[in-house]
Amino acid sequence: MSKNLGHKTRAFLMTTAAAAAVVTGASLSAQAQDNDSEFSLEEILVTAQKRPQTLQETPIAVSVTDAATIEKSHMLDISDMQSVVPSLRVWTLQTSSNTNFAIRGFGNGANNAGIEPSVGVFIDGVYRSRSAAQIGDLPRLQRVEVLRGPQSTLFGKNASAGVISIVTAAPSFEAEGGIEATYGNYDARQIKAYYTTGLTDTFAVSISGGVNKRDGYIETSDPNIDDINDRDRWHIRGQALWEPSETVSVRMIADYNELDELCCGVTNVLNGPTAGIIQLLGGEVLDDSDPFAYQSPINEVPVNEIKDGGISLEANIDFEGFTLTSISAYRSNKSFNDTEPDYTGGELLDSAYNDADIDTYTQEIRLSSTGVNTLDWMVGGYFFKEDITQIQGLKYGADTRSYIDFLTGAPGTLATLELLSGMPSGSFFAADTATRETFTQDNTAFSLFASLDLHITDRLTLTGGINYTKDKKTVTGSTVNGDAFSSIDLFTVNGGFIPTALFGQAFADNTGLAPTPENIAFIESVAPGTSAAIQSGVTAALQGLQALQFQPQFLAFPNSVQDAKTNDDKVTWQARASYEVNDNINVYLSAGTGFKSTSWNLSRDARPFAANQAALEAAGLTLPNQSYGTLYAGPENSTVYEIGIKARYSKGAINIALFDQTIKGFQSNIFQGTGFVLANAGKQSTKGLEIDATWVPTENLEFRFAGTFLDPVYDSFPGAAGPNSTVIDLSGEKPAGIHETSLSAAATYFFELGDSMTGFVRGDWQYESETQVVDNVDGVFRKVSLFNASAGLEWENGLSLTVWGRNLFNDEFYLSAFPGVIQPGTVNAYANPPRMYGATLGYKF
């Protein structure tokens, strides 16, 4: 592995050097073209450093997608952004609220409200702390910036892998508006509208909203359940902009959106031996020979409901030499989802529900220098307060008892165990048996930050930044567990009668003698070791039954040993040197660190640390069948070293970045079939090369290309979750889910028809090389080659018509995969959406 790393790194360096030579060598001819150009590439303004700069001036690896590109390619939400930003990957898991973001292969944050994302999402400067608050339809936009690599210095905690910054359009003092309606396959219906105007010379408002509906594309076998993976969401957004003078600007934004969808369907990649048992019980199992049939045999209606809203106030006041900026925000997010987690037609697990209520308050204040200075500076502070209440649980179905009995290898085992343990008949895995877990988390954090830009010369700038973050979390967790079978210790219940009885039966079966002391002594005299062998078999049998105790009693916290509090603090920094070779080329060299705070395991899989076992036993807190694991995963700490080149000419631009990025303590959360394993990977690193280029040979034709080439590795990850609930060492291995090569290419042709009509034709292609989907599922790979296209006409009177298609050639790949829920040997996966197409009619005035 290390040799491969060396070869690839040298290749990256050679490629970058060659690219730099091409860029620099092209400078003179490009400048000559600039002098003769009749048009020039539009300047792109970004706020990646929290102050307006052109993309060329910003010495950060950042991709920018403007509103025109989003509109022309018919992107509906953030997940569609990955078709034009190859460093970004977005995937949705078992519910609409479980959406993960990764940049340069780093990212987590779904499946557990306690796990905050490694990729920070900001909308108009306001942090969205959970994926349930991030997935709404994109509002009226100016641009979307994707900042690659750690951004903790200016963006605080939970930006250890990067930032997605969405900037929406502010109200206009000129009256304008628009409406558009879309219809597509799967009965897709969407309508969006906005209106903005100035009420006075200093006060402007805007309002926008939309409804997005679509039938599901996964067919269910139950005629009473609609097709799943549908769309059913709406949003409304109002803004007010007050500019009483040239030096004061105040912008208020209030938004609210709801989602009520049937999500998310899975496919069967491999049917294990339990498939026959489910079919024997009358349940339907998908045929694994056609994993992209888009069918689901579920018998319970999946529920996904999200209510998300908030209000923010941004004030900018210019003083002589500096600007004061304040951003205050309050957000409330309520989500409820209920799925049938076995994803079969059998009634095994009827319900796995999660009801989460998250309230977040944030406040940022910063001072930024203005004007032309030798030293530009920024100082500020950020406060974060969040309260989480989460209630979740499971409910067994009518077939659970029979199914578990079959898994024991001897139907009737549960009844025998009930008799031997003295438990009521029929109590083990009874239908409608439920567990209910309640968690709360109180998170308070603050950051202090400063950034300095020292302009040594007109072309050379040195940048330094520092951030101090302190993060406190107080957590509670408790359960009501009705699983009687998982609550007993099979070796000790009823005075240890179960192993005694099983030994006696096994002794009689093997020797034909009653298990009296005399007979046991006699057998030992003629066949030494017989008793030990029988006892070993009984122990192995009971240990096998313990594997079916997947809902053991939960040790509530806090308790006298575990105070359920964490208190993290960290200083992060950045250092950068940028040099303008000439008016067209800018090169930079940077280093920086990032930080993500402790993530608590707010789930039924939260178990006390093994290091606390002795203290828990001494305090008398251990429970029957006590198991150990993790209550939380410690902080992530990231470091990046980067070299970049940015070149811009009138007819094109190219940005190149070579980086070496490392995350220590990466928070891994892997599903193993009966629960999640939350753990810190020792160290994960990625060396890579990124290219982002635009070429506009004529004013009618535009080409864009972007590529990301990665060489990821787990430098250290002992104790990782492996296949079939094993524990393995992934040190030195390539992490799953990270594509070594990701490419995107797009071409747009603009034309005129007469004096009153313009049009365009656009196509884009997204490619991702083959990679294993998840670490603990062998043999399941993902490779992407996806093509989107659109064409549109726009009339002088404001009317427009666009036809569009996404995934036009029906490329098939997996978004993620996991071991089947209590189905050993079965592998399930989430399939990507099939071809989508439609037409959009719009009017602007």
Side-chain angles (χ1 to χ4, degrees), residues 611-634:
N612 292 329
Q613 181 175 354
L616 291 170
E617 290 175 349
L621 292 175
T622 54
L623 300 170
N625 221 23
Q626 182 69 65
S627 59
Y628 297 87
T630 57
L631 284 178
Y632 57 80

Side-chain angles (χ1 to χ4, degrees), residues 180-227:
E180 66 176 40
T182 296
Y183 186 79
N185 62 330
Y186 297 103
D187 198 26
R189 296 144 289 154
Q190 183 184 22
I191 185 166
K192 297 194 298 185
Y194 75 92
Y195 179 72
T196 180
T197 188
L199 300 182
T200 70
D201 291 341
T202 61
F203 190 74
V205 296
S206 69
I207 187 168
S208 61
V211 177
N212 183 1
K213 293 179 178 289
R214 189 200 67 219
D215 290 347
Y217 56 80
I218 296 182
E219 181 181 356
T220 63
S221 57
D222 189 330
N224 298 313
I225 301 178
D226 293 335
D227 294 343

Side-chain angles (χ1 to χ4, degrees), residues 446 468-472 567-571 595 597 635 637:
F446 70 85
Y468 173 74
T469 295
K470 190 172 185 63
D471 184 277
K472 295 182 179 181
N567 190 351
D568 303 320
D569 66 320
K570 185 69 176 179
V571 174
F595 167 68
S597 59
N637 294 285

